[in-house]
Amino acid sequence: MDRMADEGIRWLQRRGVVAPNAKTMLLCLRKAVNHAASSDNNPTPASAPTSTTEQQSLALFARYLLRMVPSVTGITVFIPSIDAVQSKLLQMYGSLISTLCRGRVKALYAYSVQGTIPISLNFLGVSGLTSIANGVNIACAQFAQLIFRNSRTLKTINFRFVAESNWRDMIYGHTQTPTVYTHLTTLALTIIGIPYNTTWTAIDDIAPFPALSTLDVSDRYPFDDDLLFRGNGRTMKNLHLPFRALARNILARFNVLKRSGVSRVNSISVGGIYNEDIAFMADRVDVIIRQQVHHILETTTKFSIARDIADQPSTKIFKAIELAPSTSILQHLDFGISGVVYITGVIKLINALPTLVILTCHLGDLGLVDKVAPESTYPSSLRSTNYPLSKSFRLLRVHHASTASACTIAKISMIVAIACPNFTHVDMAPELRNAFSREIAWGTCNRPFEPYADSIHHLIYKD
């Protein structure tokens, strides 16, 4: 059989099929078709091979694959639909994948687009993986077992699941003893299909993720304990949580980011924010949001509101930031496209966050200035009463989906430059930059900005 494989590989090499530098391989699993006994319109599945033939074919095919892609370290398994595989063939494919994953293949991703695909027992025999992910429609319970069996070697997990039992299988498998993911640094959980207000039973006295540095929880947040944060205070650097985690008061209630021995978290982002979260917090909404936001501002250098956000939560987060504690260490605030920020809002944010260096937001029209002071006098009023507004602030990033015109962006930027001596750059969509630069040039020669030309001319984009 080795001689057959060698001859086959030489034949493939002559035709340029071998990919010696490929790192990943896509396996699309379909039913075998006996073309000799079928027509184009009515294909007939091939007859099932004997056990000996199966084993020989799988062994030979595995040799072919491993020699065709000798450097491969990752496999993506795609099953078009539940009809694409029969149970017998699924077992065969499981054996094949198990064979391929012995040795050099360390990453596995499985997904389907239709139907819930079971995972064969041979598939579950895969071990030694360092990265694993499942897309939609892969049986969650079996995939949780596969994750559990690789807990000692996994460094990255991306797990989509639908039930509390899937989560507990990942922690306990079919045993009474929890596992510890000693090398896991990245954990992404997508929890789908559960009722919005679901709360799962707390798990006590274990710290399964002691080396975690990046945690991303999407969609729902049914946890009501600190299990995800136990034992990884020195390693955790990046958090992405749905707003429900804030609504449950997880960070402040368990003092997640201020425990003894906790290092500074570099980045926290919040998404999946809905008005239902406001109802969930009832009459304590303002207190809880302020506690959570201030906990973040005092412990991280970047805070992002990364996904769609309803108006009411957006307003309450903004107000909580306005009341930021003096101990805030935040350097980068990213509002993304979560809400429109006007010039008065920009000034309030910079004033509230003394260490802020970068603000990313969706700018709105300048018109709200008229409620504070006429546009003609606002720059001089700001300069005389709030200079320097901040010595830290340097960069304004205008989200590319912003509806603000180049003229509005230029006026807001000039006002900020007048108040912040180290403000040096505005980042915006490339198509706005020429018009923006013309507006800045106009401002250096005309009131109300002309007296501050030395503070604003550097904002002009250089070719």
Side-chain angles (χ1 to χ4, degrees):
M1 190 172 291
D2 286 336
R3 185 172 59 83
M4 291 174 60
D6 290 340
E7 291 175 355
I9 290 298
R10 284 195 292 269
W11 184 87
L12 292 170
Q13 285 176 328
R14 288 195 294 270
R15 284 155 179 79
V17 179
V18 175
N21 298 318
K23 299 298 182 183
T24 59
M25 172 173 31
L26 170 64
L27 293 179
C28 183
L29 309 188
R30 298 178 181 273
K31 284 188 290 190
V33 175
N34 186 343
H35 293 285
S38 65
S39 66
D40 291 338
N41 296 325
N42 187 27
T44 303
S47 58
T50 66
S51 177
T52 302
T53 304
E54 289 176 5
Q55 294 173 4
Q56 291 177 340
S57 297
L58 284 172
L60 183 59
F61 186 45
R63 284 181 171 83
Y64 271 129
L65 285 178
L66 291 175
R67 295 190 186 187
M68 287 170 63
V69 282
S71 301
V72 72
T73 57
I75 296 177
T76 296
V77 182
F78 171 57
I79 306 172
S81 70
I82 190 66
D83 295 329
V85 287
Q86 302 157 322
S87 59
K88 189 176 185 67
L89 289 174
L90 193 64
Q91 290 289 335
M92 291 173 57
Y93 285 131
S95 297
L96 171 64
I97 294 166
S98 181
T99 300
L100 293 174
C101 287
R102 292 191 193 113
R104 72 174 84 102
V105 174
K106 299 298 182 183
L108 178 64
Y109 173 42
Y111 71 107
S112 176
V113 294
Q114 180 183 353
T116 300
I117 307 298
I119 296 175
S120 74
L121 294 178
N122 289 329
F123 202 144
L124 290 176
V126 173
S127 62
L129 295 175
T130 59
S131 178
I132 193 168
N134 68 316
V136 295
N137 301 322
I138 298 297
C140 301
Q142 293 169 310
F143 207 82
Q145 295 175 43
L146 183 60
I147 293 173
F148 178 83
R149 294 184 186 192
N150 285 270
S151 60
R152 301 298 182 183
T153 56
L154 280 168
K155 297 180 180 179
T156 301
I157 296 174
N158 191 332
F159 186 29
R160 295 174 61 96
F161 60 105
V162 297
E164 182 178 6
S165 59
N166 306 147
W167 170 244
R168 288 186 173 270
D169 281 346
M170 180 178 158
I171 303 297
Y172 289 97
H174 289 318
T175 72
Q176 298 300 315
T177 304
T179 190
V180 177
Y181 291 79
T182 51
H183 299 290
L184 191 71
T185 59
T186 301
L187 176 62
L189 302 173
T190 302
I191 308 160
I192 53 180
I194 64 173
Y196 191 76
N197 289 326
T198 298
T199 300
W200 290 349
T201 306
I203 298 177
D204 298 325
D205 301 328
I206 60 172
F209 311 114
L212 205 61
S213 62
T214 297
L215 173 65
D216 184 336
V217 184
S218 301
D219 205 354
R220 302 294 189 252
Y221 194 92
F223 310 108
D224 199 38
D225 59 15
D226 63 340
L227 179 68
L228 296 171
F229 306 100
R230 295 176 194 163
N232 49 42
R234 292 187 179 276
T235 58
M236 186 71 76
K237 295 300 179 186
N238 303 290
L239 289 175
H240 177 85
L241 300 171
F243 189 75
R244 176 49 59 96
L246 269 62
R248 291 182 184 274
N249 206 15
I250 295 295
L251 298 181
R253 178 153 55 105
F254 294 103
N255 204 31
V256 168
L257 305 176
K258 293 184 179 180
R259 294 173 176 173
S260 176
V262 170
S263 298
R264 181 178 298 176
V265 175
N266 293 338
S267 175
I268 298 178
S269 60
V270 176
I273 305 176
Y274 307 101
N275 282 324
E276 289 90 339
D277 291 308
I278 301 300
F280 179 84
M281 290 180 279
D283 57 351
R284 298 194 66 241
V285 56
D286 293 316
V287 172
I288 291 176
I289 289 181
R290 186 168 65 252
Q291 286 178 341
Q292 299 294 285
V293 170
H294 289 184
H295 193 72
I296 290 170
L297 297 179
E298 292 178 318
T299 53
T300 188
T301 55
K302 181 178 180 181
F303 180 33
S304 304
I305 306 197
R307 301 179 187 173
D308 291 342
I309 175 173
D311 291 339
Q312 194 177 7
S314 175
T315 300
K316 293 184 180 297
I317 289 177
F318 192 96
K319 288 186 177 298
I321 295 175
E322 281 188 54
L323 300 173
S326 59
T327 50
S328 169
I329 62 171
L330 196 72
Q331 297 179 16
H332 185 181
L333 176 61
D334 183 355
F335 264 95
I337 58 173
S338 300
V340 177
V341 182
Y342 301 94
I343 180 57
T344 48
V346 172
I347 297 300
K348 287 178 180 178
L349 290 172
I350 296 173
N351 186 53
L353 301 168
T355 57
L356 189 68
V357 176
I358 303 170
L359 173 63
T360 302
C361 61
H362 182 178
L363 284 181
D365 188 74
L366 195 65
L368 280 188
V369 169
D370 293 335
K371 296 182 180 180
V372 181
E375 184 179 319
S376 59
T377 61
Y378 188 61
S380 59
S381 174
L382 184 65
R383 176 74 171 228
S384 62
T385 59
N386 288 284
Y387 187 86
L389 182 67
S390 169
K391 292 183 178 180
S392 301
F393 191 67
R394 285 173 170 77
L395 172 61
L396 176 63
R397 285 182 176 151
V398 183
H399 196 280
H400 287 194
S402 177
T403 57
S405 66
C407 178
T408 293
I409 297 172
K411 288 181 178 179
I412 291 175
S413 301
M414 288 188 284
I415 290 171
V416 173
I418 288 169
C420 301
N422 294 316
F423 175 56
T424 57
H425 187 66
V426 186
D427 185 24
M428 72 195 79
E431 61 269 19
L432 295 175
R433 291 174 182 175
N434 287 338
F436 170 86
S437 293
R438 289 195 296 270
E439 293 292 339
I440 299 294
W442 179 91
T444 62
C445 303
N446 293 273
R447 289 188 175 275
F449 302 107
E450 182 267 336
Y452 312 103
D454 289 345
S455 298
I456 62 178
H457 70 85
H458 63 274
L459 297 175
I460 296 174
Y461 271 86
K462 306 296 192 296
D463 292 333

